[in-house]
Amino acid sequence: MADELSASFPVLGIAAWSGTGKTTLLEKLLPLLGEHGLKVAVIKHAHHSFEVDQPGKDSYKLRCAGAAPMLIASRERFALMQETPGQAEPDLAQLIAMMALHQPDLVIVEGFKAWPIPKLVLYRDGIGDATILTGPYVEAVALSAPAPIQLAASLVKLSLDDSEAIARWIVAWVNAKNNVLASSTLAINKER
């Protein structure tokens, strides 16, 4: 995890302590980003075992019986479930690589605080350690109150309660990242 992860599309981490409202904010942001024409994929970190399918359903029974992976599909959606017993924490680089097939305009990563990706940090006054607002990958912060610590002057400061302003910042950030990605691609092609 020493170097920033890279992909052919922008990847933005949303980092915050539990109880800050990451999922609530994302529920507001995703439609707003869609209105700006962005196709957004999300990778969410879970801290413990979780079930996607329900006990008693065929997909659950088949997964428990050893199907690896188990894919269930209908005309409305599909879900791929893979058991990973004994595996360490998920490898974010592998998860991001899985997103390439879907050609998103942006991948938002919820959780994975320690991974080297650009981050929008959410901080609700009184929840968790304020040092989450610092670090080399923090590009913007969304706060519910004045910052409890001195912030780097280079950080973009947003209101945690203004989802439209946060969405506008994300759109501008994606556009800037795409310009950098396009310049890098152009430079590589010129070298060939």
Side-chain angles (χ1 to χ4, degrees), residues 119-138:
K119 291 179 180 66
L120 165 63
V121 176
L122 314 180
Y123 186 79
R124 190 166 300 284
D125 195 36
I127 298 179
D129 184 355
T131 59
I132 194 172
L133 298 166
T134 63
Y137 298 102
V138 178

Side-chain angles (χ1 to χ4, degrees), residues 10-171:
V11 176
L12 178 65
I14 304 289
W17 297 112
S18 181
T20 300
K22 294 182 297 291
T23 302
T24 300
L25 178 63
L26 282 173
E27 285 178 310
K28 294 175 185 174
L29 287 176
L30 290 169
L32 293 171
L33 296 171
E35 288 172 12
H36 285 277
L38 293 180
K39 180 180 173 187
V40 181
V42 176
I43 297 172
K44 179 175 174 36
H45 184 263
H47 292 283
H48 21 137
S49 180
F50 61 93
E51 294 296 335
V52 175
D53 50 357
Q54 299 296 315
K57 295 291 187 180
D58 291 350
S59 60
Y60 181 88
K61 291 176 184 176
L62 295 172
R63 181 172 53 88
C64 290
M70 173 63 212
L71 187 135
I72 182 170
S74 74
R75 69 176 145 221
E76 294 181 10
R77 71 186 53 92
F78 72 87
L80 177 67
M81 292 159 284
Q82 175 71 50
E83 295 296 318
T84 57
Q87 178 177 308
E89 282 296 309
D91 184 293
L92 184 56
Q94 290 176 344
L95 298 174
I96 289 171
M98 288 180 194
M99 292 291 155
L101 173 67
H102 304 283
Q103 300 178 329
D105 298 312
L106 167 66
V107 172
I108 291 178
V109 176
E110 182 184 336
F112 294 93
K113 286 190 281 284
W115 281 80
I117 57 173
K119 291 179 180 66
L120 165 63
V121 176
L122 314 180
Y123 186 79
R124 190 166 300 284
D125 195 36
I127 298 179
D129 184 355
T131 59
I132 194 172
L133 298 166
T134 63
Y137 298 102
V138 178
E139 298 201 8
V141 296
L143 307 160
S144 67
I149 61 173
Q150 181 71 31
L151 298 175
S154 62
L155 287 182
V156 175
K157 294 157 196 81
L158 302 159
S159 169
L160 185 55
D161 298 319
D162 191 347
S163 54
E164 290 186 9
I166 295 170
R168 285 191 302 273
W169 177 80
I170 291 173
V171 169

